[in-house]
Amino acid sequence: MGRADFITVEDVSKSFFNQDQSEHVLSNVSLQIQKGEIVSVLGESGCGKSTLLNVIGGFEQVDHGIVTMDGQPVKGPSRRGIMLFQNYGLLPWRSVLKNVELGLEDGVTNGKQRRERALHYLELVGLLDKVNLFPHELSGGMQQRVAIARALAIQPELILMDEPFAALDTFNRYYLQDELLTIQSKEKTTIVLVTHDIDEAIYLSNRVFIMSAKPGRVKKEIAIRTPRPRDRSHGDFQHFRKMIFEEFEFSRSKTAIEYNI
Ligand SMILES: Nc1ncnc2c1ncn2[C@@H]1O[C@H](COP(=O)(O)OP(=O)(O)OP(=O)(O)O)[C@@H](O)[C@H]1O
Ligand SMILES: [Mg+2]
């Protein structure tokens, strides 16, 4: 473990058993994340990205290896790390405001503080006019924004995000990406983001981990060394886009060769 490592994943392997068959989902995955970093995980569907997030968040146990946060083994979920699930996880019987207040109901804050903080983050995601509606009265993208506000309101040290912007239109996605960067630079939150969107990974991340499938491994780590705010039409951006794209092309041709042997 390096001096500044906040999260370490060391030689982690994980299998699932489905209908008498074992599936080796993560194989000898190692990575380190420093405090305040934004890292993205890219890889094809089913390669183990959500499983890796679950393991980092303590929602899944590993078969082999260890995950640490601040040098301590992660044995289960904690309030220091919040997971933003792929399916939003909103409670249908609670209003937008009450959903965001949910994570704050731990006695640390009183009712007035909870409400103020929830409203602050709902304003950031552009939903102040919807606070009294219920989740089924919102669009999918709005539900996702409520889930983002709820995660941010807890002000965790670590946010694990599983495709948080996938359901949003381009305008809202770009807007929320910028909001996330603003909030993150203020609060120094560490973010691990799973995405299918190469541009999103380049726009947001300090580093991008590219996973290969069957079994899931981290096959490449790319540092995005270009200043923020980043310009999606800049040459640097194209450079990283090409670099990442080539990784996927390479893995496809390699698989084809392996099949031919
Ligand atoms: N709780 C579980 N029980 C059994 N098998 C699981 C479980 N969770 C995931 N798997 C299996 O592990 C593999 C990897 O799943 P995972 O959800 O990590 O993929 P992913 O990379 O996040 O895919 P996607 O991009 O489609 O979300 C899949 O084949 C899936 O069926
Ligand atoms: Mg997934």
Side-chain angles (χ1 to χ4, degrees):
M1 185 176 135
R3 204 162 53 92
D5 291 341
F6 177 46
I7 303 291
T8 69
V9 176
E10 290 170 35
D11 205 20
V12 161
S13 294
K14 169 92 187 157
S15 294
F16 283 116
F17 293 91
N18 293 321
Q19 294 163 351
D20 297 336
Q21 282 200 330
S22 162
E23 185 180 349
H24 195 183
V25 177
L26 296 177
S27 175
N28 308 104
V29 173
S30 293
L31 53 91
Q32 293 82 36
I33 303 167
Q34 291 163 19
K35 216 170 175 72
E37 257 197 312
I38 304 179
V39 302
S40 292
V41 182
L42 276 174
E44 67 187 71
S45 181
C47 74
K49 302 181 296 299
S50 296
T51 305
L52 177 61
L53 273 199
N54 281 324
V55 158
I56 293 174
F59 297 96
E60 292 279 2
Q61 300 304 308
V62 301
D63 299 334
H64 178 270
I66 186 167
V67 177
T68 66
M69 180 193 261
D70 262 344
Q72 300 301 315
V74 171
K75 293 188 176 138
S78 89
R79 289 185 59 84
R80 297 178 68 188
I82 295 296
M83 173 75 94
L84 204 62
F85 288 101
Q86 237 167 342
N87 56 3
Y88 320 141
L90 300 180
L91 300 180
W93 59 88
R94 292 184 73 137
S95 70
V96 164
L97 181 61
K98 292 287 175 198
N99 259 287
V100 176
E101 286 184 13
L102 181 71
L104 307 172
E105 290 169 2
D106 60 352
V108 175
T109 52
N110 65 32
K112 185 166 173 282
Q113 289 169 326
R114 276 203 295 275
R115 193 183 153 83
E116 275 169 11
R117 211 199 279 183
L119 287 171
H120 170 72
Y121 285 97
L122 282 165
E123 184 176 13
L124 277 185
V125 300
L127 286 178
L128 265 192
D129 57 338
K130 302 273 191 269
V131 295
N132 294 318
L133 299 189
F134 289 83
H136 74 271
E137 297 173 299
L138 303 178
S139 71
M142 288 173 189
Q143 291 180 38
Q144 183 63 313
R145 279 145 71 189
V146 177
I148 291 168
R150 186 174 61 188
L152 293 172
I154 295 167
Q155 300 177 336
E157 292 170 73
L158 172 69
I159 304 185
L160 304 165
M161 296 184 151
D162 203 341
E163 301 184 42
F165 308 124
L168 305 178
D169 62 55
T170 308
F171 178 78
N172 270 307
R173 192 159 61 235
Y174 285 1
Y175 172 76
L176 274 183
Q177 286 171 354
D178 283 334
E179 284 306 323
L180 185 73
L181 286 178
T182 307
I183 296 163
Q184 192 271 346
S185 71
K186 246 188 264 160
E187 303 189 1
K188 303 284 175 268
T189 319
T190 307
I191 296 175
V192 186
L193 171 86
V194 164
T195 177
H196 281 123
D197 184 339
I198 292 174
D199 279 14
E200 180 168 287
I202 300 169
Y203 191 72
L204 294 176
S205 312
N206 299 81
R207 287 181 295 145
V208 178
F209 295 108
I210 297 176
M211 287 185 68
S212 57
K214 293 191 171 81
R217 294 177 197 270
V218 172
K219 68 173 193 138
K220 182 95 177 177
E221 176 190 323
I222 297 177
I224 312 293
R225 289 204 184 87
T226 174
R228 293 190 176 105
R230 293 176 180 158
D231 177 352
R232 294 179 180 84
S233 60
H234 194 272
D236 282 358
F237 214 95
Q238 308 295 345
H239 164 78
F240 289 114
R241 196 181 275 145
K242 188 163 180 287
M243 206 172 182
I244 293 172
F245 200 69
E246 276 169 4
E247 282 303 318
F248 287 110
E249 289 297 302
F250 175 68
S251 69
R252 229 168 265 146
S253 59
K254 188 173 168 205
T255 310
I257 291 165
E258 280 170 353
Y259 278 135
N260 286 337
I261 289 171

